[in-house]
């Protein structure tokens, strides 16, 4: 089980974002569902490949972390050599699935692998650049769903998603700044390039871009989805207060210190988040 946990299979749920573009466009059919399944598998394998590389690079720091020290590579259950071999196999398989969909999707998978490798080696230690990059990875998943199914992806949807995930990425750094307090030469010992005084600005920025994403969602409903093939597009306005509620609740919980080292892990365990996602899907169905 520890070996499997090194692949972080729970994080594969992030790749369900591939359904966002075709779902919002009302273009999910049996053929596109199969394409989305392959896209989901390709991105999941690619993500696990890079998680292994990241954990190899971070193994020394992870051993000093109260929870990350239990990871398979940091704890010594999986050796760095084994992890890198498995990473290579998963990377090749993700490329094969990407090529099966289309040369364009293969290019996207290769770009994702390269970008995440650069992030693991360098960008994750550059303050502000790191959270912008993380948000970009989430947006890439949404774009991938459109590319896999031939669905046009609205720039409004991409912009809304970027600000939403920028907020969540900022929360990840806020949580780390709260938990890691030992300083080394003016920096925190998590290797992220942040100092303790960055906590306030990071939290303010996270809340600000989260509320901005709600504003962009309203503009998306009015300008983007409103012109699409929905018989009752006005129903979609209910998504705006729904998302505003979720983002405010999320940041209240973060500020109370009730989120562990990874906000995504919190979301995956939070039943209210699942209710909100279900409500979003239901509103899209009713609007159609």
């Amino acid at each position: 089980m520890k070996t499997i946990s090194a692949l972080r299979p729970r994080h594969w749920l992030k790749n369900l974002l591939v359904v966002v573009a075709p779902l919002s466009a009302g273009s999910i059919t049996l053929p596109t569902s199969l394409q989305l399944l392959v896209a989901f598998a390709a991105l999941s394998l690619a993500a696990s490949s890079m998680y292994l590389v990241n954990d190899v690079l971070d193994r020394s720091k992870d051993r000093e972390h109260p929870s990350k020290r239990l990871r398979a590579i940091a704890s010594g259950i999986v050796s760095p050599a084994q992890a890198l071999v498995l990473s290579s196999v998963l990377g090749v398989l993700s490329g094969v699935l990407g090529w099966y969909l289309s040369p364009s999707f293969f290019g996207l998978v290769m770009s994702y692998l390269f970008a995440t490798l650069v992030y693991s080696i360098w960008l994750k230690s550059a303050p502000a650049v790191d959270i912008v990059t993380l948000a970009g990875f989430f947006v890439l998943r949404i774009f991938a769903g459109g590319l896999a199914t031939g669905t046009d992806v609205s720039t409004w949807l991409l912009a809304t998603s970027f600000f939403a995930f920028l907020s969540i990425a900022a929360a990840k750094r806020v949580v780390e700044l709260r938990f890691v307090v030992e300083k080394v030469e003016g920096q925190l010992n998590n290797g992220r390039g942040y100092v303790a005084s960055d906590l306030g600005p990071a939290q303010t920025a996270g809340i600000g871009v989260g509320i901005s994403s709600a504003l962009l969602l309203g503009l998306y409903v009015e300008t983007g989805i409103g012109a699409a093939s929905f018989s009752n597009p006005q129903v979609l306005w209910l998504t705006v207060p729904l998302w505003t509620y979720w983002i405010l609740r999320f940041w209240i919980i973060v500020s109370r210190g009730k989120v562990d080292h990874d906000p995504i892990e919190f979301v995956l365990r939070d039943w209210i988040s699942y209710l909100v996602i279900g409500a979003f899907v239901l509103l899209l169905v009713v609007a159609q």
Side-chain angles (χ1 to χ4, degrees), residues 88-122:
S88 300
V89 172
L90 294 176
V92 170
L93 290 175
S94 68
V96 170
L97 290 176
W99 185 263
Y100 172 79
L101 279 175
S102 69
S104 297
F105 199 87
F106 172 79
L108 182 143
V109 171
M110 292 299 103
S111 297
Y112 173 76
L113 287 170
F114 176 75
T116 50
L117 180 61
V118 173
Y119 172 81
S120 296
I121 295 174
W122 175 47

Side-chain angles (χ1 to χ4, degrees), residues 25-42:
S27 61
I28 292 185
T29 61
L30 180 57
T32 57
S33 296
L34 295 175
Q35 291 168 333
L36 290 172
L37 181 60
V38 176
F40 171 83

Side-chain angles (χ1 to χ4, degrees), residues 94-178:
S94 68
V96 170
L97 290 176
W99 185 263
Y100 172 79
L101 279 175
S102 69
S104 297
F105 199 87
F106 172 79
L108 182 143
V109 171
M110 292 299 103
S111 297
Y112 173 76
L113 287 170
F114 176 75
T116 50
L117 180 61
V118 173
Y119 172 81
S120 296
I121 295 174
W122 175 47
L123 295 181
K124 69 181 179 184
S125 61
V129 175
D130 61 332
I131 61 174
V132 171
T133 305
L134 284 175
F137 289 151
F138 284 101
V139 174
L140 182 142
R141 291 174 169 94
I142 294 175
F143 180 78
L147 183 62
T149 58
T151 303
D152 291 333
V153 184
S154 167
T155 53
W156 282 109
L157 174 60
L158 295 177
T160 301
S161 303
F162 175 75
F163 276 85
F165 290 114
L166 187 61
S167 181
I168 295 174
K172 182 176 177 66
R173 293 298 175 254
V174 167
V175 170
E176 289 177 348
L177 283 166
R178 286 183 180 279

